[in-house]
Amino acid sequence: MIAVSAAGAIYDRYQNENKVMPDGQMTVHFIDVGQGDSILIQCGTHAMLIDAGDNSCGTKVQAYLENKGVAKLDYVIGTHPDSDHIGGLDVIIYKFDCENVMMPDCEKRTNTYRDVISAMKEKNYINTLPEVGKKYNLGDAEFTILAPSKKYEDANNNSISIILQYGDRRFLFTGDAEEEEEQDIVNAGISIDCDVYKAGHHGSRTSSSEELLNAASPAFAVISCGEGNSYGHPHARTLNEFRQRGIQVFRTDEQGTIEAVTDGVTIKWNCSPSETWKTGN
């Protein structure tokens, strides 16, 4: 059931009537960082950050976290070393107590990457390498590492990918993973059936393959991209695929920061899905 109220969209797909639901809620914030990614997940007093936008976004993400009452981060994930994902992470690492920092075994000879590594050394943080199949708790939520399962030549295909579950609701995050890594995710034998899919690579045509979407079968997709970006994100092929499958789309370039709140049964959004189906310029 999808209903629309003044507060936005509410999604309810109850799967297991006998399952004990968690007593609380989880909020997923898709922070508007322009052409980049940054996702804050809060579950009770626990919090996780996935990426922090580009170099100009560190203080913006810091301010957003502080505004939401985040004092420390259980997990900080830099999905891969591209600047539009880890550019602001050095600020976050300096400013917050980060219990676990996770980045893939993929280096990049850039000042942006070196800044993040320097921040980690300054705080005496050791990188936790992703291990496919390993599970982590975030309060009453749990996430499982899906990728990368090997080292790829393309940095995008080294993206840390996870499936996050709270009660019966599941969220899929794949960074900038493209078709090669997506195929390995599908073949890994871990269910990626989900309610919400953070569209890979900002809605690029090189991600969100048919194989991934068939396995994930999301009801919603969130596209994080910048208004008028030079890459043309999101691409027509991806939007057409979403539309044909009846996937409702939220977009940071049109709607700003997007929040999804779930009690483990329903998902409530802070805005209604986009209806433009407009490709990037």
Side-chain angles (χ1 to χ4, degrees), residues 233-255:
H233 296 154
H235 290 151
R237 187 201 69 80
T238 302
L239 288 176
N240 289 338
E241 194 71 42
F242 290 165
R243 193 170 192 173
Q244 289 171 9
R245 292 170 180 266
I247 299 171
Q248 302 221 34
V249 173
F250 295 87
R251 301 171 53 154
T252 61
D253 62 333
E254 294 181 351
Q255 299 163 293

Short mmCIF file of all heavy atoms in Angstrom, two decimals, residues 233-255:
data_model
loop_
_atom_site.label_atom_id
_atom_site.label_comp_id
_atom_site.label_asym_id
_atom_site.label_seq_id
_atom_site.Cartn_x
_atom_site.Cartn_y
_atom_site.Cartn_z
N HIS A 233 23.57 12.90 -15.39
CA HIS A 233 22.88 12.01 -14.45
C HIS A 233 21.59 12.67 -13.95
O HIS A 233 21.58 13.86 -13.69
CB HIS A 233 23.78 11.74 -13.23
CG HIS A 233 25.04 10.99 -13.53
ND1 HIS A 233 26.17 11.10 -12.74
CD2 HIS A 233 25.36 10.14 -14.54
CE1 HIS A 233 27.13 10.33 -13.24
NE2 HIS A 233 26.65 9.75 -14.33
N PRO A 234 20.52 11.89 -13.83
CA PRO A 234 20.39 10.47 -14.19
C PRO A 234 20.15 10.29 -15.68
O PRO A 234 19.58 11.15 -16.34
CB PRO A 234 19.17 10.04 -13.38
CG PRO A 234 18.31 11.28 -13.31
CD PRO A 234 19.27 12.42 -13.21
N HIS A 235 20.60 9.16 -16.21
CA HIS A 235 20.48 8.88 -17.63
C HIS A 235 19.11 8.30 -17.98
O HIS A 235 18.45 7.69 -17.13
CB HIS A 235 21.56 7.88 -18.06
CG HIS A 235 22.94 8.47 -18.06
ND1 HIS A 235 24.07 7.70 -17.84
CD2 HIS A 235 23.39 9.74 -18.24
CE1 HIS A 235 25.14 8.48 -17.91
NE2 HIS A 235 24.76 9.71 -18.14
N ALA A 236 18.74 8.49 -19.23
CA ALA A 236 17.41 8.06 -19.70
C ALA A 236 17.21 6.55 -19.54
O ALA A 236 16.13 6.09 -19.16
CB ALA A 236 17.21 8.47 -21.15
N ARG A 237 18.25 5.75 -19.83
CA ARG A 237 18.10 4.30 -19.75
C ARG A 237 17.71 3.87 -18.35
O ARG A 237 16.81 3.03 -18.16
CB ARG A 237 19.41 3.60 -20.15
CG ARG A 237 19.25 2.07 -20.24
CD ARG A 237 20.57 1.33 -20.12
NE ARG A 237 21.13 1.42 -18.79
CZ ARG A 237 20.73 0.66 -17.76
NH1 ARG A 237 19.74 -0.21 -17.89
NH2 ARG A 237 21.31 0.79 -16.58
N THR A 238 18.35 4.46 -17.35
CA THR A 238 18.06 4.10 -15.97
C THR A 238 16.66 4.54 -15.56
O THR A 238 15.90 3.77 -14.96
CB THR A 238 19.10 4.73 -15.03
OG1 THR A 238 20.41 4.27 -15.42
CG2 THR A 238 18.85 4.34 -13.59
N LEU A 239 16.30 5.77 -15.91
CA LEU A 239 14.96 6.26 -15.56
C LEU A 239 13.88 5.43 -16.25
O LEU A 239 12.85 5.12 -15.64
CB LEU A 239 14.83 7.73 -15.97
CG LEU A 239 15.61 8.74 -15.11
CD1 LEU A 239 15.47 10.14 -15.68
CD2 LEU A 239 15.14 8.71 -13.65
N ASN A 240 14.11 5.08 -17.50
CA ASN A 240 13.12 4.26 -18.22
C ASN A 240 12.98 2.89 -17.57
O ASN A 240 11.86 2.34 -17.48
CB ASN A 240 13.53 4.11 -19.69
CG ASN A 240 13.37 5.39 -20.48
OD1 ASN A 240 12.60 6.27 -20.09
ND2 ASN A 240 14.09 5.51 -21.58
N GLU A 241 14.09 2.32 -17.12
CA GLU A 241 14.06 1.01 -16.46
C GLU A 241 13.26 1.11 -15.17
O GLU A 241 12.42 0.24 -14.87
CB GLU A 241 15.49 0.55 -16.16
CG GLU A 241 15.62 -0.91 -15.78
CD GLU A 241 15.38 -1.87 -16.93
OE1 GLU A 241 15.86 -1.60 -18.05
OE2 GLU A 241 14.69 -2.89 -16.69
N PHE A 242 13.49 2.16 -14.41
CA PHE A 242 12.73 2.35 -13.16
C PHE A 242 11.24 2.51 -13.46
O PHE A 242 10.39 1.92 -12.79
CB PHE A 242 13.24 3.58 -12.41
CG PHE A 242 14.61 3.44 -11.80
CD1 PHE A 242 15.31 4.56 -11.37
CD2 PHE A 242 15.20 2.20 -11.64
CE1 PHE A 242 16.56 4.44 -10.79
CE2 PHE A 242 16.46 2.07 -11.07
CZ PHE A 242 17.15 3.20 -10.64
N ARG A 243 10.95 3.32 -14.45
CA ARG A 243 9.54 3.61 -14.76
C ARG A 243 8.81 2.36 -15.23
O ARG A 243 7.66 2.10 -14.82
CB ARG A 243 9.47 4.70 -15.84
CG ARG A 243 8.08 5.30 -16.02
CD ARG A 243 8.14 6.52 -16.90
NE ARG A 243 6.89 7.27 -16.87
CZ ARG A 243 6.71 8.43 -17.45
NH1 ARG A 243 7.69 9.00 -18.12
NH2 ARG A 243 5.54 9.05 -17.37
N GLN A 244 9.46 1.57 -16.08
CA GLN A 244 8.83 0.35 -16.60
C GLN A 244 8.56 -0.66 -15.48
O GLN A 244 7.61 -1.44 -15.55
CB GLN A 244 9.71 -0.27 -17.67
CG GLN A 244 9.75 0.54 -18.96
CD GLN A 244 10.80 0.03 -19.93
OE1 GLN A 244 11.40 -1.03 -19.74
NE2 GLN A 244 11.04 0.77 -21.01
N ARG A 245 9.39 -0.62 -14.45
CA ARG A 245 9.24 -1.56 -13.35
C ARG A 245 8.32 -1.03 -12.24
O ARG A 245 8.10 -1.70 -11.24
CB ARG A 245 10.62 -1.88 -12.75
CG ARG A 245 11.52 -2.69 -13.68
CD ARG A 245 12.95 -2.76 -13.12
NE ARG A 245 13.81 -3.53 -14.02
CZ ARG A 245 14.07 -4.82 -13.91
NH1 ARG A 245 13.51 -5.50 -12.91
NH2 ARG A 245 14.87 -5.43 -14.75
N GLY A 246 7.83 0.19 -12.40
CA GLY A 246 6.96 0.77 -11.40
C GLY A 246 7.69 1.22 -10.15
O GLY A 246 7.09 1.37 -9.08
N ILE A 247 9.00 1.45 -10.28
CA ILE A 247 9.80 1.90 -9.14
C ILE A 247 9.60 3.41 -8.97
O ILE A 247 9.80 4.19 -9.90
CB ILE A 247 11.30 1.60 -9.36
CG1 ILE A 247 11.52 0.08 -9.50
CG2 ILE A 247 12.14 2.17 -8.23
CD1 ILE A 247 12.93 -0.30 -9.93
N GLN A 248 9.19 3.82 -7.79
CA GLN A 248 9.00 5.24 -7.52
C GLN A 248 10.35 5.87 -7.19
O GLN A 248 11.16 5.27 -6.47
CB GLN A 248 8.00 5.44 -6.39
CG GLN A 248 6.66 4.79 -6.71
CD GLN A 248 5.48 5.65 -6.28
OE1 GLN A 248 5.52 6.86 -6.32
NE2 GLN A 248 4.42 4.99 -5.87
N VAL A 249 10.57 7.07 -7.69
CA VAL A 249 11.89 7.69 -7.64
C VAL A 249 11.89 8.96 -6.81
O VAL A 249 11.00 9.81 -6.94
CB VAL A 249 12.39 7.99 -9.08
CG1 VAL A 249 13.69 8.78 -9.05
CG2 VAL A 249 12.58 6.69 -9.86
N PHE A 250 12.91 9.09 -5.98
CA PHE A 250 13.20 10.33 -5.26
C PHE A 250 14.55 10.84 -5.76
O PHE A 250 15.44 10.05 -6.06
CB PHE A 250 13.27 10.08 -3.75
CG PHE A 250 11.96 9.65 -3.14
CD1 PHE A 250 11.61 8.30 -3.10
CD2 PHE A 250 11.09 10.58 -2.60
CE1 PHE A 250 10.41 7.89 -2.53
CE2 PHE A 250 9.88 10.19 -2.03
CZ PHE A 250 9.54 8.84 -2.00
N ARG A 251 14.71 12.17 -5.83
CA ARG A 251 15.92 12.74 -6.42
C ARG A 251 16.39 13.95 -5.60
O ARG A 251 15.62 14.88 -5.36
CB ARG A 251 15.64 13.20 -7.85
CG ARG A 251 15.18 12.10 -8.77
CD ARG A 251 14.72 12.65 -10.10
NE ARG A 251 15.69 13.51 -10.76
CZ ARG A 251 15.76 13.70 -12.07
NH1 ARG A 251 14.89 13.10 -12.85
NH2 ARG A 251 16.66 14.49 -12.59
N THR A 252 17.68 13.93 -5.22
CA THR A 252 18.20 15.06 -4.46
C THR A 252 18.34 16.31 -5.33
O THR A 252 18.28 17.43 -4.82
CB THR A 252 19.57 14.73 -3.83
OG1 THR A 252 20.52 14.42 -4.86
CG2 THR A 252 19.45 13.56 -2.86
N ASP A 253 18.53 16.14 -6.65
CA ASP A 253 18.68 17.33 -7.51
C ASP A 253 17.37 18.11 -7.62
O ASP A 253 17.38 19.31 -7.88
CB ASP A 253 19.20 16.96 -8.89
CG ASP A 253 18.28 16.03 -9.67
OD1 ASP A 253 17.52 15.27 -9.04
OD2 ASP A 253 18.32 16.05 -10.92
N GLU A 254 16.26 17.44 -7.41
CA GLU A 254 14.96 18.09 -7.48
C GLU A 254 14.36 18.36 -6.10
O GLU A 254 13.64 19.35 -5.91
CB GLU A 254 13.97 17.21 -8.25
CG GLU A 254 14.29 17.03 -9.72
CD GLU A 254 13.26 16.19 -10.44
OE1 GLU A 254 12.37 15.59 -9.77
OE2 GLU A 254 13.34 16.11 -11.68
N GLN A 255 14.65 17.50 -5.14
CA GLN A 255 13.93 17.54 -3.86
C GLN A 255 14.80 17.84 -2.66
O GLN A 255 14.29 17.91 -1.54
CB GLN A 255 13.20 16.19 -3.66
CG GLN A 255 12.18 15.91 -4.76
CD GLN A 255 11.76 14.45 -4.80
OE1 GLN A 255 12.55 13.56 -5.11
NE2 GLN A 255 10.51 14.19 -4.47
#
